[in-house]
């Protein structure tokens, strides 16, 4: 028979060995301490910024509703318009709706910050938060952010040299387009704030989403995540091909998906075909970079990056830019859906697939994150 006194003494010794002060078992005393990057604390500040954004934009909407100038969705000259789903519209109709929408956002955000709500109230808060995030990020914006991202190298040259012509920065970043960027930022804030609230009220770690005593990242099969990630990357790559092929074909005088008259018009417009070719090349390079989400050179710096070769790539180095591109692709694709014309399908038809590209890239990026996220600094699970 086992010696009961010995067992009891052993258990007591084990307990005393494992009982150490909290400050010795954890490298910090609060969830926000010792984080390597300021943005890793997004669950702590995104809710406050979402409330501030809603208050400021709601005040602007009320000003427009009362007849103030600067309504950003009104009818203007084509050179100063945007492709937003709200444009063109009348301020006296849409601005009051925006003001009420933002007022609800302030109330919702404050309730989320205080972690209030259960049952139906919690569901209502989450419904508003996710609806606001999706509408502001994906539905109201147009292709402007995607265009600025693609043309960013050329814009830097323009800003510092004045090439290619007699324009100023206001001809590129005019108010109707700048407003959509403000709307987009508000959408990102609402997505972050809602996700943080959902995790807090669901009893999960607010930073990584893991449930207490739940399975960590070790339970996920890395090989399975890589397999599904590879499939998502290939879907994304295939969705880029129609755009790349049409733009390259136009450069070589092949009217693929357009009329001969439209091709001649582009040929007669200085640098138009070259710009199209450049966009096709950028799209192709983007499809190549996506392979980093499933290849070794997406985890360890390759030799051609000589100043960092052999070092481990921080997951955020891939997740942040890939996630941003995935998000900005979708509004551009939805805008192409609204502007599609069968007679000139080559103009907007291939861009419709940006929705597929963005969704597939987003899935591949999320799977890459799950595969590489490691141990959470807050809940210490992983």
């Amino acid at each position: 028979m086992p010696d009961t006194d010995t067992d009891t003494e052993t258990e007591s010794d084990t307990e005393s060995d494992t009982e150490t002060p909290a400050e010795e078992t954890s490298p910090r005393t609060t969830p926000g301490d010792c984080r390597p990057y300021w943005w890793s604390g997004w669950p702590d500040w995104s809710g406050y910024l979402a409330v501030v954004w809603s208050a400021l934009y709601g005040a602007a909407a009320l000003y427009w509703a009362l007849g103030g100038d600067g309504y950003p969705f009104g009818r203007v000259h084509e050179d100063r318009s945007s492709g937003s789903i709200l444009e063109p519209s009348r301020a006296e109709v849409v601005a009051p709706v925006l003001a009420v929408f933002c007022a609800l956002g302030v109330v919702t955000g404050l309730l989320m910050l205080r972690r209030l709500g259960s049952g139906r109230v919690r569901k209502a808060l989450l419904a508003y938060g996710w609806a606001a995030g999706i509408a502001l990020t994906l539905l109201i914006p147009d292709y402007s952010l995607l265009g600025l991202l693609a043309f960013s190298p050329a814009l830097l040259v323009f800003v510092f040299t004045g090439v290619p012509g007699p324009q100023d920065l206001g001809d590129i970043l005019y108010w109707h387009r700048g407003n959509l960027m403000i709307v987009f930022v508000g959408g990102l804030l609402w997505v972050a704030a809602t996700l943080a609230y959902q995790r807090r009220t669901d009893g999960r770690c607010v930073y990584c989403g893991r449930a207490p005593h739940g399975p960590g990242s070790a339970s996920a099969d890395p090989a399975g995540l890589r397999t599904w990630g590879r499939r998502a990357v290939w879907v994304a790559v295939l969705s880029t091909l129609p755009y790349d092929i049409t733009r390259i074909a136009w450069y070589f005088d092949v009217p693929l998906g357009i009329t001969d008259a439209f091709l001649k018009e582009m040929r007669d417009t200085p640098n138009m075909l070259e710009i199209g070719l450049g966009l096709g090349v950028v799209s192709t390079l983007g499809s190549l970079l996506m392979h980093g989400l499933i290849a070794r050179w997406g985890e360890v710096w390759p030799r051609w990056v000589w100043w960092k070769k052999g070092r481990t790539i921080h997951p955020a180095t891939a997740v942040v830019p890939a996630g941003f591109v995935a998000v900005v692709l979708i509004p551009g694709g939805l805008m192409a859906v609204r502007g599609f014309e069968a007679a000139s399908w080559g103009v907007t038809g291939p861009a419709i697939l940006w929705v597929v590209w963005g969704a597939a890239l987003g899935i591949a990026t999320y799977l890459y994150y799950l595969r590489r996220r490691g141990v959470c600094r807050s809940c210490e699970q992983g």
Side-chain angles (χ1 to χ4, degrees), residues 145-156:
L145 276 168
L146 181 60
L148 288 175
L149 186 64
F151 283 108
S152 55
L155 288 177
L156 288 175

Side-chain angles (χ1 to χ4, degrees), residues 257-281:
I258 58 174
T259 63
D260 292 335
F262 187 70
L263 179 59
K264 183 180 183 303
E265 181 181 344
M266 286 197 295
R267 192 185 303 117
D268 294 339
T269 303
N271 301 321
M272 180 64 71
L273 292 176
E274 288 77 9
I275 290 175
L277 177 64
L279 291 175
V281 171

Side-chain angles (χ1 to χ4, degrees), residues 36-293:
Y37 300 100
W38 64 268
W39 44 260
S40 62
W42 62 267
D44 302 319
W45 48 256
S46 57
Y48 293 98
L49 292 183
V51 170
V52 171
W53 183 93
S54 295
L56 293 177
Y57 204 85
L62 181 61
Y63 171 74
W64 298 325
L66 297 175
D69 296 332
Y71 177 64
F73 300 109
R75 185 180 298 278
V76 292
H77 190 276
E78 184 178 355
D79 292 341
R80 288 291 185 272
S81 64
S82 73
S84 172
I85 195 173
L86 295 180
E87 187 175 334
S89 61
R90 298 167 56 187
E92 59 269 26
V93 175
V94 174
V97 176
L98 290 175
V100 172
F101 172 79
C102 290
L104 290 175
V106 172
V107 175
T108 300
L110 291 176
L111 291 176
M112 286 182 174
L113 288 173
R114 298 188 64 183
R115 307 182 190 183
L116 299 178
S118 60
R120 293 181 179 179
V121 175
R122 177 178 179 271
K123 291 179 180 179
L125 296 179
L126 289 174
Y128 175 90
W130 287 120
I134 292 172
L136 296 172
T137 306
L138 303 180
L139 300 182
I140 296 178
D142 63 359
Y143 71 107
S144 294
L145 276 168
L146 181 60
L148 288 175
L149 186 64
F151 283 108
S152 55
L155 288 177
L156 288 175
V157 174
F158 169 74
V159 168
F160 289 103
T161 67
V163 178
Q167 305 180 84
D168 56 34
L169 200 57
D171 294 321
I172 299 172
L173 297 177
Y174 44 82
W175 170 230
H176 279 224
R177 176 175 284 175
N179 168 70
L180 294 184
M181 297 178 188
I182 295 173
V183 169
F184 180 82
V185 170
L188 293 181
L189 291 175
W190 269 109
V191 167
T194 305
L195 180 59
Y197 172 77
Q198 180 171 312
R199 287 176 174 178
R200 283 192 178 100
T201 54
D202 199 29
R204 295 179 175 271
C205 174
V206 72
Y207 298 98
C208 72
R210 294 182 178 97
H213 312 297
S217 61
S219 65
D221 178 20
L225 293 175
R226 191 183 295 274
T227 297
W228 282 103
R230 185 177 294 109
R231 293 171 181 172
V233 166
W234 278 110
V235 169
V237 169
L238 292 174
S239 68
T240 69
L241 293 180
Y243 186 88
D244 303 345
I245 292 172
T246 52
R247 272 55 186 175
I248 294 173
W250 297 348
Y251 181 78
F252 290 102
D253 285 337
V254 179
L256 182 60
I258 58 174
T259 63
D260 292 335
F262 187 70
L263 179 59
K264 183 180 183 303
E265 181 181 344
M266 286 197 295
R267 192 185 303 117
D268 294 339
T269 303
N271 301 321
M272 180 64 71
L273 292 176
E274 288 77 9
I275 290 175
L277 177 64
L279 291 175
V281 171
V282 169
S283 177
T284 301
L285 292 176
S287 66
L288 293 176
L289 285 175
M290 286 188 292
H291 286 82
L293 297 173

